[in-house]
Amino acid sequence: MYLLKHRWSRLTRNAWRNRQELIGAQMHRRRELLKLGLLGGAGYLLAKHGLSTRAFAAVQGDLKSPPTRAFIDPLPIMPIKRPLANGVLDLSPAPTIAPNNAGGEGRTRPHQAFLNFGNRFTFPPPKVFEIVQRAAAVTVSPDLPAQNLWTFDGFSPGPTYHARYGEGMLVRNRNQLPADNGGFGIPQVSTHLHNLHTPSESDGFPGDYFPNPENPAIANATFYDHHYPNVLAGFSSTHQPNGDVNESLSTLWYHDHRVAFTAQNVYKGLAGMYFLFNEFDTGDETTGFHLPGRRDPNDFYAPVKYDVPLFLSDRIFDGETGALFFDLFDTDGILGDKFLVNGVIQPYMEVEPRRYRFRVHDGGPSRFYQLFLTDQGANTSIPFWQIANDGNLLPTPIQVTSVLLGVAERMDIIIDFSKFKPGTVLYFENRINQIDGRGPVANAGAPLATVPPGQGTPILKFIVGSTVTFPDASTDPVNKPKYYALPARPLPRITRTLQFERELDTWMVNGKAFPDAADVVHFRVRKNSAEQWNLANNSGGWMHPIHIHFEEFRLINRNGVAVNSGFEFSRKDVLRVQHGELNSVFFRFRDFEGRYPLHCHNLLHEDHAMMMRWDIDATGDNLREP
Ligand SMILES: [Cu+2]
């Protein structure tokens, strides 16, 4: 039984229906709108047929989801993806190093790892997976109808991968998405694994989608084999033969990256998580770094107890039908009024009185979070420990009272619930002050503003229990255990400047918009070299979480201030380029060659078209302002 519906005004309803008709006819791309004369020179939809962005904005107060009750559903945990029992014998057709276009594969380049490094990688890799992208009915709240989402194996977020360094994986992605998109989404996919040290042809480059009607060889492709070598950066260059352990990654995620349609496809459900383990970050608190977590000793693919993913996303639902709502004409950034954790609106979690590791992830599409742990009474900012920034463990844990995330950022934290009486109720409260897709509100003199304690949104409720199943064998972060050291920083070969800008309602980098064909190489990086990139926000009043694929960077300075301590003294793969900032980052580009993108991870900005392609090759170029 649903709660009372929210009534839309006639104006909102007409604007929405008109937009849906254009979307259904695949008429929402800029060039189609220009052709139809529906887009003005300034890039705004013209005020006719109730389509105007301004007319729509005027009634956006109407755009509210139906009411839903909070903390009714327990926090779901995504299933762990299991490898095929008989490896490649269970795959038909058998995987090949060269793309098997005749057999229906959408890949266009061979797996370079098996060709370029002698016997370093054996084909097929030791672990083989098969996953299916398809539509499925998914429940997000007892107060809303089941949603028709696009999923991996029927789940959104999709199953979590458990991977190990030194154990390569082959993942066959099958695309069984329906031609009828139900209003938004395009059934062409390129699954990006953010931010593994992955050869380009397996990275999920935005132009590598399938099927691709423009390319006869893959116009009807139904699958794509991704090779994830799970190898440390430097394995063939600076740290032969196994790479630099200080480059180890832990919490990654995967999502669709189809050029110009990433926001629609991810919003519709195509994303999940990928955890990478090694002899230090083992997933078991009795070994290695003793991070909270208990593994089933007989099953690597069972969920790890006390090591919990928190996949955050916000969505808006049609006020009348309760169906997932996506405004395709909003290129600023879409903010939902419903907050989901692991795919469910405002769930609760019963926790044992001991330490837990949480892997907090901002799954977008556009929202920033600043999360506080609070009892919403006496203690509104209870301290906890941050142990990682994006996929990278910090040199040592840092005590914090909040974590701040832009889209695609991950923050691993440790909370010790033994400090609370049984029955204590705690919340994760998002207190960042963000009222539109541009980014959080800024205070004078400070980059970000928060709302007062208790006035944010509680997105997850913890209820502390009284019994412990496994006594806590994890290391108390107060003892400041050492994780990895930060890798060396050799002199950069070149310094490049990238300006993130807004012109004519379009998002650009250095005045350039990413082409739909993804075929322009904006600059070329020399393999096994180092570079410094200066990332400037020239878009006045906007914030951009900038993501660069392939290797992590180090933030050298944020807006002129050297970064020598704190949670940003770390390796990272997403950088919040905040209001008016100029930030410098240091990179290395090792081992593999090919095409990669850099882009804003506000999914609306990357689709419209704040992205550049850079290729790694033997020589590189010297473009300082590409
Ligand atoms: Cu942006």
Side-chain angles (χ1 to χ4, degrees), residues 5 63 156 337-338 523 527 550 603:
K5 286 175 183 171
L63 287 178
S156 178
D337 60 353
K338 295 297 173 188
F523 59 102
K527 185 167 81 167
F550 189 56
L603 301 178

Side-chain angles (χ1 to χ4, degrees), residues 543-545 600 602 605 610:
M543 268 192 210
H544 305 291
C600 180
N602 179 328
H605 295 187
M610 192 177 258

Side-chain angles (χ1 to χ4, degrees), residues 332 438 500 507 539 542-546 600-606 610:
D332 286 357
R438 294 173 166 230
F500 296 88
W507 300 102
S539 57
W542 301 81
M543 268 192 210
H544 305 291
I546 301 300
C600 180
H601 225 301
N602 179 328
L603 301 178
L604 286 306
H605 295 187
E606 70 174 281
M610 192 177 258

Side-chain angles (χ1 to χ4, degrees), residues 526-582:
R526 182 185 299 170
K527 185 167 81 167
N528 299 330
S529 74
E531 300 200 0
Q532 177 177 324
W533 293 1
N534 298 328
L535 310 179
N537 186 344
N538 275 2
S539 57
W542 301 81
M543 268 192 210
H544 305 291
I546 301 300
H547 172 47
I548 300 107
H549 288 208
F550 189 56
E551 276 204 45
E552 296 71 59
F553 55 81
R554 269 185 58 192
L555 180 60
I556 304 167
N557 69 63
R558 186 181 273 287
N559 223 16
V561 179
V563 177
N564 294 319
S565 63
F567 68 90
E568 291 198 314
F569 187 58
S570 162
R571 294 162 55 249
K572 274 186 76 55
D573 54 55
V574 181
L575 182 68
R576 280 170 282 101
V577 185
Q578 303 177 147
H579 298 308
E581 284 185 346
L582 170 61

